[in-house]
């Protein structure tokens, strides 16, 4: 069963921060509850003269009340944990949710550290970076080890901390993302720990200046890890669509939402780390991670472009392809119809070939061929069709590519979405045109419904809605007739052939529906848009003509007169959804006098 997108709403980095903040806040506030005289913040050397007496006490109180000062050095946590463990009045049990938050944070940090250490060289600066990262892990592990005697066990089990950490680490190794729910035992005795839930002050782990660089790499690692899991999820989704287990609309709308989530994840990273000013900084960060050296210069990172290892996992290939396309095709630099000329060089895609037998270069060439069947179509739309046209519903990928054509900027999420588009082709191969077939089947069904309505309304003029026909129905029919059943872009290419002298090898009659036949994601979004527009038109018709109200009263009268009458499922559903009291303005009438 394909899981939902709920696991991707919050980024792994955000979950990590929430876990460490939850652990830190609980430790600090619980320690203060165990010892009210405890001072949380200690003086740090090199930050001004050492205060004494009343001045020192007031400074510490001010620091606690200042939310900007609520960062706790990792070393200080172990001292606070010892206070909790030694406390006898009260005796505190560590909630399982707090233990799990710590274990999740440690497991994620270890996953980052394992690959980083495997690829690191032995330069002293690199070794120091590894030591700093491992120091954070060791401090968190020592913290939980210190608290272990106060762990609240589930069902009186006595699993050691090492066993729990290993269990979580194994899950991470297998799944990469583990969104484990916090599990608290019924009626567990939290004692003073309850204050952590209601206390307004929040605490977080302090990041030393020496660790800022490695911490930034860790956040970038979390972003790409999220994108990897999202990509695997979408690959499985389209495999399920291919075998007929989900509909085109479901696959397309879920994928579209996933692209929005990817853009959100990228935006959150850029907002939190001012040092990351562009996508190049993000890619360079991943190169530093892949090569195990956080101190690589940007120039050294650019030399990693020649290495094939890791490029596919960080969407650098589609990013480079899109960037190259914009350098050559950007509208401001190359006005006219150059997209036609370059199109001819790459359209040699053979979907029946076996991709599993291709090497990296062959796969890269095939991906370029697939993209070169899509990008010129998007440029055609950008040049000649208004973006505000509500008839032409767009998916996020198409909208992003058209925006790229205008600005020349290729965001990371767009490279990710382009890779997912390629993955869809890799999954469906020669069956990729099924998306268009499904879309046209839905459009034909709706066209028949609208034709039937038109015939019916001719016989019963009170049911005709002139305003409805002028607005919603006209737009629906325009989409069906000119975009789905006819090849709108193909017709425009014919116009260019006849008036602008565009190359004849691009005669659309040779390859009809060049865009939709290769873009099942766009087909699914168009189908979903059709359904929404049809429902809006139906509701408008019902509200304007009162047809459902009149029919509901007639149906109710017939049922009251003949209780054994077979139920009308559609009407029963309408009554259930809207409520009989809203349809009948009270209880349904039950007497002949009330029927009228």
């Amino acid at each position: 069963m394909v899981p939902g997108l709920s696991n991707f709403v919050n980024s792994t980095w955000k979950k990590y921060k929430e876990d460490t903040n939850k652990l830190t806040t609980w430790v600090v506030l619980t320690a203060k509850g165990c010892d009210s005289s405890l001072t949380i913040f200690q003086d740090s050397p090199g930050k001004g003269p050492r205060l004494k007496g009343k001045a020192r006490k007031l400074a510490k109180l001010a620091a606690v009340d200042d939310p900007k000062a609520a960062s706790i050095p990792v070393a200080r946590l172990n001292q606070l944990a010892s206070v909790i463990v030694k406390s006898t009045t009260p005796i505190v049990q560590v909630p399982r949710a707090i233990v799990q938050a710590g274990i999740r944070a440690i497991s994620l940090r270890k996953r980052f550290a394992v690959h980083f250490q495997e690829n690191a060289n032995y330069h002293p600066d690199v070794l120091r970076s590894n030591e700093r990262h491992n120091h954070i892990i060791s401090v968190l592990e020592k913290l939980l080890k210190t608290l272990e005697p106060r762990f609240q066990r589930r069902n009186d089990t006595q699993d050691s901390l090492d066993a729990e950490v290993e269990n979580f680490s194994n899950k991470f190794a297998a799944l990469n993302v583990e969104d484990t729910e916090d599990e608290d035992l019924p009626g567990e005795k939290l004692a003073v720990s309850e204050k952590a839930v209601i206390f307004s002050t929040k605490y977080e782990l302090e990041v030393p200046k020496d660790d800022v660089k490695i911490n930034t790499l860790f956040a970038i690692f979390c972003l790409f890890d999220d994108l990897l899991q999202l990509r695997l999820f979408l690959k499985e989704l389209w495999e399920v669509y291919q075998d007929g287990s989900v509909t085109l609309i479901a696959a397309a709308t879920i994928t579209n939402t996933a692209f929005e989530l990817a853009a959100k994840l990228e935006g959150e990273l850029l907002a939190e780390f001012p040092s990351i000013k562009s996508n190049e900084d993000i890619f360079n960060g991943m190169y530093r991670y892949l090569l195990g050296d956080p101190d690589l210069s940007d120039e050294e990172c650019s030399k990693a472009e020649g290495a094939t290892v890791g490029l596919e996992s960080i969407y650098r290939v589609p990013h480079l392809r899109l960037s190259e396309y914009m350098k050559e095709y950007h509208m401001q630099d190359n006005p006219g119809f150059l997209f036609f000329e370059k199109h001819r060089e790459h359209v040699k895609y053979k979907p029946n070939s076996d991709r599993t037998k291709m090497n990296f270069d062959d796969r890269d060439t095939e991906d370029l061929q697939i993209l070169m069947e899509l990008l010129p179509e998007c440029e055609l739309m950008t040049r000649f069709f208004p973006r505000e046209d509500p008839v032409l519903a767009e998916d996020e990928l198409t909208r992003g590519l058209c925006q790229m054509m205008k600005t020349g900027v290729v965001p990371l999420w767009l490279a990710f979405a382009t890779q997912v588009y390629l993955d869809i082709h890799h999954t469906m191969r020669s069956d990729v045109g099924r998306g268009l077939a499904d879309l046209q089947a839905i459009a034909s069904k709706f066209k028949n419904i609208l034709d039937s309505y038109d015939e019916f309304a001719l016989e019963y003029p009170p049911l005709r809605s002139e305003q409805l026909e002028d607005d919603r129905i006209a737009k629906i029919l325009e989409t069906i007739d000119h975009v789905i059943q006819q090849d709108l872009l193909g017709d425009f290419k014919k116009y260019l052939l006849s008036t602008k002298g565009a190359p004849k090898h691009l005669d659309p009659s040779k390859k009809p529906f060049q865009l939709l036949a290769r873009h099942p994601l766009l087909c699914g979004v168009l189908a979903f848009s059709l359904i929404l527009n049809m429902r809006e038109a139906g509701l408008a018709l019902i509200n304007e003509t009162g047809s459902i109200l009149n029919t509901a009263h007639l149906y109710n009268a017939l049922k009251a007169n003949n209780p054994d009458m077979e139920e009308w499922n559609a009407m029963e559903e309408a009554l259930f959804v809207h409520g009989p009291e809203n349809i009948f303005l009270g209880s349904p009438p039950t007497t002949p006098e009330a029927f009228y």
Side-chain angles (χ1 to χ4, degrees):
M1 183 67 182
V2 177
L5 287 174
S6 59
N7 288 348
F8 303 100
V9 173
N10 290 325
S11 67
T12 298
W13 169 252
K14 186 175 181 179
K15 293 174 187 175
Y16 167 79
K17 291 286 294 291
E18 289 174 351
D19 282 337
T20 55
N21 291 349
K22 179 190 295 185
L23 175 63
T24 303
T25 299
W26 184 89
V27 169
V28 172
L29 297 181
T30 304
K32 284 180 65 66
C34 293
D35 183 356
S36 59
S37 64
L38 184 68
T39 55
I40 303 302
F41 294 93
Q42 296 176 326
D43 293 334
S44 300
K47 294 186 178 181
R50 183 180 180 85
L51 301 176
K52 296 182 179 181
K54 186 176 180 180
R56 181 182 178 188
K57 183 177 181 179
L58 290 174
K60 288 177 179 177
L61 289 174
V64 173
D65 292 334
D66 182 6
K68 295 181 181 179
S71 294
I72 308 297
V74 289
R76 179 63 171 149
L77 284 180
N78 283 311
Q79 300 170 1
L80 299 176
S82 298
V83 173
I84 296 172
V85 173
K86 294 176 181 178
S87 174
T88 57
T89 309
I91 296 177
V92 179
Q93 286 183 308
V94 184
R96 187 168 181 80
I98 299 301
V99 178
Q100 289 181 325
I103 292 174
R104 283 195 298 264
I106 293 170
S107 299
L108 184 60
R109 279 280 185 177
K110 280 189 171 181
R111 280 204 301 126
F112 171 80
V114 166
H115 179 90
F116 197 80
Q117 290 171 354
E118 288 177 350
N119 293 275
N121 57 47
Y122 293 96
H123 189 278
D125 291 338
V126 176
L127 294 178
R128 279 193 292 272
S129 297
N130 291 338
E131 289 173 1
R132 289 195 298 270
H133 183 75
N134 289 331
H135 174 67
I136 298 175
I137 296 174
S138 63
V139 169
L140 291 174
E141 287 182 324
K142 185 178 179 181
L143 172 64
L144 292 187
K145 282 282 190 181
T146 302
L147 293 172
E148 188 172 8
R150 298 296 191 196
F151 283 3
Q152 183 166 42
R153 306 294 181 181
R154 178 168 24 179
N155 299 329
D156 296 326
T157 58
Q158 297 297 320
D159 292 341
S160 67
L161 173 65
D162 291 337
E164 293 216 42
V165 171
E166 182 179 1
N167 179 41
F168 267 74
S169 297
N170 289 338
K171 289 181 179 179
F172 271 110
L175 301 177
N176 288 331
V177 169
E178 179 67 23
D179 190 23
T180 305
E181 297 291 336
D182 291 332
E183 302 172 8
D184 290 335
L185 291 175
E188 71 178 5
K189 300 176 181 178
L190 302 183
V192 296
S193 63
E194 292 177 354
K195 296 182 180 180
V197 179
I198 61 175
F199 205 80
S200 60
T201 305
K202 302 295 181 182
Y203 296 89
E204 61 182 19
L205 282 178
E206 182 180 85
V207 180
K209 292 183 178 180
D210 291 342
D211 292 345
V212 170
K213 189 179 295 185
I214 197 74
N215 213 46
T216 303
L217 290 191
F218 178 53
I220 294 175
F221 160 80
C222 290
L223 169 65
F224 279 97
D225 192 65
D226 286 335
L227 294 180
L228 172 61
Q229 299 311 312
L230 202 53
R231 179 185 175 190
L232 294 175
F233 163 76
L234 295 176
K235 287 179 71 174
E236 181 181 353
L237 175 65
W238 284 93
E239 289 170 359
V240 174
Y241 164 68
Q242 188 179 30
D243 66 26
S245 299
V246 300
T247 64
L248 172 67
I249 291 176
T253 53
I254 291 173
T255 303
N256 216 41
T257 303
F259 292 165
E260 293 175 344
L261 287 175
K264 171 177 170 285
L265 296 176
E266 179 184 2
E268 289 176 349
L269 180 73
L270 294 173
E272 184 166 351
F273 292 91
S275 61
I276 304 176
K277 296 181 173 59
S278 66
N279 289 319
E280 290 303 319
D281 291 337
I282 297 178
F283 284 116
N284 287 341
M286 272 311 282
Y287 285 135
R288 294 181 180 105
Y289 167 71
L290 291 172
L291 299 175
D293 188 349
D295 296 313
L296 281 178
S297 66
D298 290 348
E299 182 180 356
E300 290 172 319
C301 288
S302 66
K303 295 179 180 178
E305 299 285 2
T308 59
V309 178
L311 289 184
E312 289 181 305
S313 66
I314 64 172
Y315 317 107
R316 186 53 165 167
V317 173
H319 188 272
L320 289 172
R321 292 305 181 200
L322 295 179
S323 299
E324 291 168 359
Y325 185 92
M326 291 315 302
K327 288 179 182 178
E328 201 164 348
Y329 290 80
H330 198 282
M331 290 171 14
Q332 294 181 355
D333 298 330
N334 294 297
F337 305 97
L338 292 183
F339 56 95
F340 282 128
E341 295 294 344
K342 289 296 180 181
H343 191 156
R344 174 176 50 189
E345 298 178 11
H346 299 288
V347 182
K348 301 173 184 177
Y349 172 52
K350 299 178 181 179
N352 293 320
S353 56
D354 188 352
R355 185 175 174 88
T356 62
K357 297 180 179 179
M358 299 180 186
N359 58 30
F360 176 86
D361 290 336
D362 291 338
R363 294 196 304 270
D364 182 46
T365 299
E366 182 182 78
D367 288 348
L368 177 60
Q369 294 165 352
I370 295 172
L371 286 180
M372 288 308 300
E373 290 183 339
L374 171 67
L375 295 178
E377 300 298 310
C378 292
E379 185 163 358
L380 182 66
M381 293 174 62
T382 305
R383 289 174 185 271
F384 301 109
F385 292 88
R387 311 261 39 85
E388 299 80 14
D389 191 347
V391 174
L392 296 174
E394 290 178 341
D395 62 285
E396 290 301 312
L397 171 62
T398 304
R399 182 180 292 110
L401 291 174
C402 290
Q403 185 67 22
M404 178 193 74
M405 301 291 179
K406 292 181 177 180
T407 64
V409 177
V410 186
L412 174 61
W413 76 263
L414 184 58
F416 165 78
T418 302
Q419 183 60 63
V420 172
Y421 173 83
L422 294 172
D423 290 339
I424 294 172
H425 275 262
H426 302 161
T427 297
M428 303 195 69
R429 305 302 290 179
S430 59
D431 198 30
V432 74
R434 198 177 106 199
L436 176 59
D438 289 351
L439 171 62
Q440 290 179 332
I442 294 172
S444 295
K445 176 183 176 181
F446 289 161
K447 182 75 159 54
N448 292 335
I449 291 174
L450 293 176
D451 289 343
S452 298
Y453 159 74
D454 189 58
E455 294 175 6
F456 184 72
L458 288 175
E459 297 183 25
Y460 300 94
L463 294 180
R464 177 175 292 280
S465 170
E466 294 183 2
Q467 181 180 358
L468 181 63
E469 290 181 13
D470 291 341
D471 297 333
R472 293 182 178 87
I473 291 181
K475 290 178 180 179
I476 294 172
L477 290 174
E478 182 180 359
T479 300
I480 293 175
D481 292 338
H482 299 293
V483 179
I484 300 173
Q485 303 295 8
Q486 298 180 23
D487 186 3
L488 177 65
L489 292 182
D491 291 343
F492 190 75
K493 289 177 186 176
K494 291 179 182 178
Y495 166 77
L496 293 178
L497 284 169
S498 62
T499 61
K500 303 295 183 179
K504 293 184 178 181
H505 70 274
L506 283 174
D507 185 349
S509 60
K510 298 179 181 178
K511 289 187 176 182
F513 294 100
Q514 179 76 20
L515 178 62
L516 292 180
R518 294 160 177 78
H519 202 339
L521 175 58
L522 176 57
C523 291
V525 171
L526 279 171
F528 185 58
S529 175
L530 272 183
I531 289 179
L532 292 181
N533 287 329
M534 285 290 289
R535 288 181 177 177
E536 288 181 2
L539 288 173
L541 178 63
I542 289 169
N543 291 331
E544 186 174 338
T545 63
S547 57
I548 193 170
L549 296 177
N550 299 333
T551 307
H553 277 277
L554 177 60
Y555 175 67
N556 176 70
L558 291 172
K559 280 194 66 178
N561 186 59
N562 181 13
D564 296 329
M565 186 184 79
E566 183 178 352
E567 287 190 345
W568 183 5
N569 292 333
M571 180 59 70
E572 291 290 344
E573 183 178 355
L575 292 173
F576 174 78
V577 170
H578 296 285
E581 67 279 2
N582 295 320
I583 297 292
F584 301 108
L585 299 180
S587 300
T590 57
T591 64
E593 293 79 10
F595 294 153
Y596 301 97

